[in-house]
Amino acid sequence: MPQEFDVVIVGYGPVGATLANLLVQQGARVAVLEKESGVYHLARAGHLDAEVMRVLQSIGIADEFEQQTSQTLGMRFVDADGKVLMEWKRGGARGPNGWVSDYMFYQPTLEKLLRKKLGGAPNFQEFLLHDVYAVEQDGSGVTVRAEDTVSNQLIELRARYVVGCDGARSLVRRLIGTEHTDLGFKQRWLVVNVKPSRNMGFEPVSIQHCNPARPAYASGSSQSLRWEFMVLPGESTHDMLQHENVWNLIEQSVRPMRREDGEITRVAVYTFESLVAKQWRAGRLLIAGDAAHRMPPFLGQGMCAGMRDASNLGWKLAAVLQGRAQENLLDTYTSERSRHVTEFTLGAIEAGRFIQMDDPQQVQARMRDMRDNPKSYAPPSPHLGAGLSAHHGEAGIGRQFTQPTINGQRLDDLVGHRFALIIRKGFLKPEQGASMASCAGLKIIELADEQASALDPYGAPAIMLRPDRYVHAVVPEAASLPAALDGLGALLQVEAEFA
């Protein structure tokens, strides 16, 4: 008989491991199937932001992980001669999300912490060195068949849902049968990771080299430095991958490094693309991360987007599995996340275009505009697409709420995997507060006077917060609260009476 699970996740990278953690913490029985033997030993992603740190905080590894990261103070665009065109200043002190805005990290470190957190959970099982070859859904569940590549034995798992976190060549996406929306960017780039043998003293800033002769990018953490160079027309992949040629490019780059100061750990030519799947769910099959979308790396948001997928999908799957929501809640996953990731992808494309222009007149016009209007080139800050809330995009609905500290505790730690009502002091009458306090699945957070400014952008004394920390509704007055709760009644299965 096949082993039974609530969710089977195909792929155990950072997105799959994040989703597994979120589901396991909410009581789901989860299995992960992974064809590799362990954490992939080379860094691929290297940047994450404060929003993703909040996801890691909800899992319980953010504080430990932060000790193994380095801050980045932003991104700098320089011309062919290295002169500054524009700078996006980031980092520094902790911001409104409760974390520094941007971090550089070593991907294997993050993956090990995510897997460590899952270790020993009675409702979790991992199947390493297992290659999935068949996924078949029916009216009551999904059957997943895989081969143990060590013993050559075949196994069969049964789940209510299967999520493909299995990368750009996703089997689960192919079984869903979806096409991609192509946003129009396709370019070959050489990607190089170097492990430094000493502290190079590089300024913690990512550099976009707007050099028409060869656009390039430099970033990295203390554990792994990265260079990316555009492959020019006529250059062969074979020649670009030769270490002598790679070191020549690094030594002559906008962030030069001598070959005796480090060891190349990865060198590859990638085709950067801009693709978003049109359909992220078909019945009991879903996709997340690179299986659902691919974007150029120029904003460092590829992995971040996948982690946001996991955060959005995790609480929705848990609600359906627990019987607190109808299955159609899962339809909001595609609509909310697809729009959000599309906006980030378009921003990454635009950043890439900054550094890839080769027409002299266009280059000069771009440089003047970047110097004169830096705010117009700011990274995107999109809201969720239409989904759970009928008023997405209005008054901050569909955007992340900040994370104030309340009586020494961070907001997210107080809320957990629940909806929350965030209110100013005095918003509820005592009898209303008593009624609300009995509502299962809803956490009430009353902000002290010194924290109440967090509600100012909404022009209201209260907001409804989703488990993924996005604003679900704005409550302009206490009399509007019953209607706001009615909108969540089917999901939360609670009723509140008001005097």
Side-chain angles (χ1 to χ4, degrees):
M1 296 293 293
Q3 297 185 60
E4 298 276 349
F5 297 92
D6 293 315
V7 180
V8 167
I9 298 171
V10 182
Y12 205 10
V15 177
T18 295
L19 180 59
N21 271 284
L22 294 171
L23 290 170
V24 165
Q25 289 182 351
Q26 296 174 83
R29 297 169 301 157
V30 177
V32 173
L33 291 155
E34 169 58 52
K35 62 184 179 181
E36 301 295 337
S37 61
V39 169
Y40 187 65
H41 66 288
L42 299 177
R44 289 160 290 181
H47 163 269
L48 55 78
D49 56 27
E51 182 177 343
V52 174
M53 284 296 285
R54 290 180 73 172
V55 177
L56 301 179
Q57 178 188 337
S58 70
I59 291 171
I61 66 170
D63 293 304
E64 182 179 359
F65 176 62
E66 187 182 39
Q67 300 303 312
Q68 301 179 64
T69 66
S70 57
Q71 291 186 29
T72 175
L73 299 182
M75 183 177 291
R76 182 176 299 153
F77 292 80
V78 301
D79 65 15
D81 298 322
K83 295 179 181 178
V84 176
L85 295 169
M86 179 182 68
E87 190 164 7
W88 294 335
K89 293 187 177 180
R90 310 277 284 175
R94 294 184 184 272
N97 278 307
W99 299 94
V100 174
S101 63
D102 293 86
Y103 296 87
M104 301 304 294
F105 71 102
Y106 185 56
Q107 183 174 331
T109 299
L110 173 60
E111 293 195 38
K112 288 174 183 177
L113 287 175
L114 286 166
R115 295 190 186 190
K116 177 183 175 183
K117 189 68 176 179
L118 286 164
N123 52 331
F124 174 74
Q125 191 168 350
E126 64 180 29
F127 295 85
L128 303 179
L129 290 168
H130 280 69
D131 193 10
V132 176
Y133 65 88
V135 180
E136 301 170 359
Q137 64 172 318
D138 53 50
S140 60
V142 189
T143 300
V144 181
R145 296 183 177 89
E147 179 187 8
D148 182 333
T149 57
V150 175
S151 66
N152 296 322
Q153 297 295 308
L154 304 182
I155 70 165
E156 188 172 294
L157 308 181
R158 185 77 176 161
R160 290 179 62 182
Y161 295 94
V162 168
V163 184
C165 301
D166 46 345
R169 299 177 181 176
S170 170
L171 170 65
V172 180
R173 185 187 65 244
R174 282 180 275 143
L175 293 172
I176 287 175
T178 183
E179 296 179 349
H180 283 108
T181 297
D182 190 336
L183 298 175
F185 185 97
K186 189 170 185 178
Q187 177 65 56
R188 289 192 307 152
W189 280 66
L190 175 74
V191 178
V192 186
N193 282 87
V194 175
K195 181 179 180 181
S197 56
R198 63 181 182 87
N199 184 352
M200 300 302 300
F202 290 147
E203 187 179 6
V205 173
S206 298
I207 300 176
Q208 301 271 20
H209 192 191
C210 304
N211 179 12
R214 187 185 298 276
Y217 174 75
S219 66
S221 66
S222 59
Q223 293 176 288
S224 180
L225 300 170
R226 176 174 295 185
W227 285 262
E228 297 173 8
F229 302 95
M230 186 173 134
V231 179
L232 303 178
E235 291 182 326
S236 72
T237 297
H238 177 271
D239 290 343
M240 293 299 295
L241 294 177
Q242 301 307 304
H243 279 210
E244 179 67 23
N245 294 336
V246 172
W247 275 117
N248 286 338
L249 288 172
I250 292 174
E251 289 176 340
Q252 299 168 30
S253 72
V254 71
R255 179 172 279 172
M257 177 180 181
R258 298 179 304 175
R259 61 193 72 194
E260 55 263 34
D261 289 330
E263 174 190 358
I264 293 175
T265 58
R266 180 182 66 140
V267 57
V269 170
Y270 287 98
T271 299
F272 294 155
E273 296 181 288
S274 54
L275 303 173
V276 179
K278 294 181 178 180
Q279 187 179 356
W280 297 27
R281 175 189 173 220
R284 297 178 179 275
L285 305 182
L286 303 105
I287 51 176
D290 285 354
H293 45 76
R294 278 168 274 169
M295 72 175 73
F298 304 112
L299 292 181
Q301 284 291 324
M303 189 201 74
C304 293
M307 304 282 265
R308 291 187 182 95
D309 296 344
S311 180
N312 186 293
L313 182 58
W315 72 267
K316 293 176 180 177
L317 268 176
V320 172
L321 291 168
Q322 294 164 7
R324 295 186 292 109
Q326 298 297 315
E327 192 175 55
N328 61 7
L329 174 65
L330 300 178
D331 293 334
T332 67
Y333 169 58
T334 300
S335 60
E336 289 183 348
R337 286 295 307 135
S338 178
R339 182 197 181 279
H340 195 274
V341 77
T342 295
E343 290 297 312
F344 266 115
T345 305
L346 291 172
I349 290 171
E350 195 61 26
R353 286 176 177 153
F354 296 164
I355 67 174
Q356 291 188 190
M357 289 182 180
D358 54 10
D359 180 272
Q361 291 184 339
Q362 288 184 342
V363 170
Q364 290 302 316
R366 176 200 60 197
M367 291 179 178
R368 287 194 300 270
D369 196 42
M370 291 172 76
R371 288 193 177 104
D372 295 342
N373 304 292
K375 289 185 178 180
S376 67
Y377 292 92
S381 179
H383 58 74
L384 296 176
L388 189 62
S389 174
H391 304 285
H392 67 286
E394 299 178 13
I397 294 173
R399 297 185 186 275
Q400 268 220 331
F401 187 61
T402 58
Q403 181 174 207
T405 299
I406 301 166
N407 297 324
Q409 287 188 278
R410 296 173 295 201
L411 173 71
D412 295 358
D413 296 334
L414 290 169
V415 173
H417 300 292
R418 292 180 286 183
F419 274 82
L421 180 67
I422 313 297
I423 62 175
R424 292 182 188 270
K425 187 180 293 184
F427 174 72
L428 293 176
K429 298 176 183 178
E431 59 270 25
Q432 290 176 321
S435 174
M436 291 291 297
S438 66
C439 293
L442 183 69
K443 179 73 174 178
I444 303 172
I445 303 289
E446 186 177 74
L447 300 180
D449 293 338
E450 60 269 22
Q451 293 134 4
S453 61
L455 292 169
D456 289 348
Y458 308 95
I463 62 164
M464 192 78 73
L465 195 63
R466 299 163 26 145
D468 54 8
R469 320 311 180 201
Y470 283 80
V471 176
H472 173 67
V474 172
V475 186
E477 56 186 358
S480 305
L481 190 53
L485 281 173
D486 285 345
L488 289 178
L491 177 62
L492 296 177
Q493 292 191 336
V494 297
E495 295 181 2
E497 296 182 1
F498 296 88

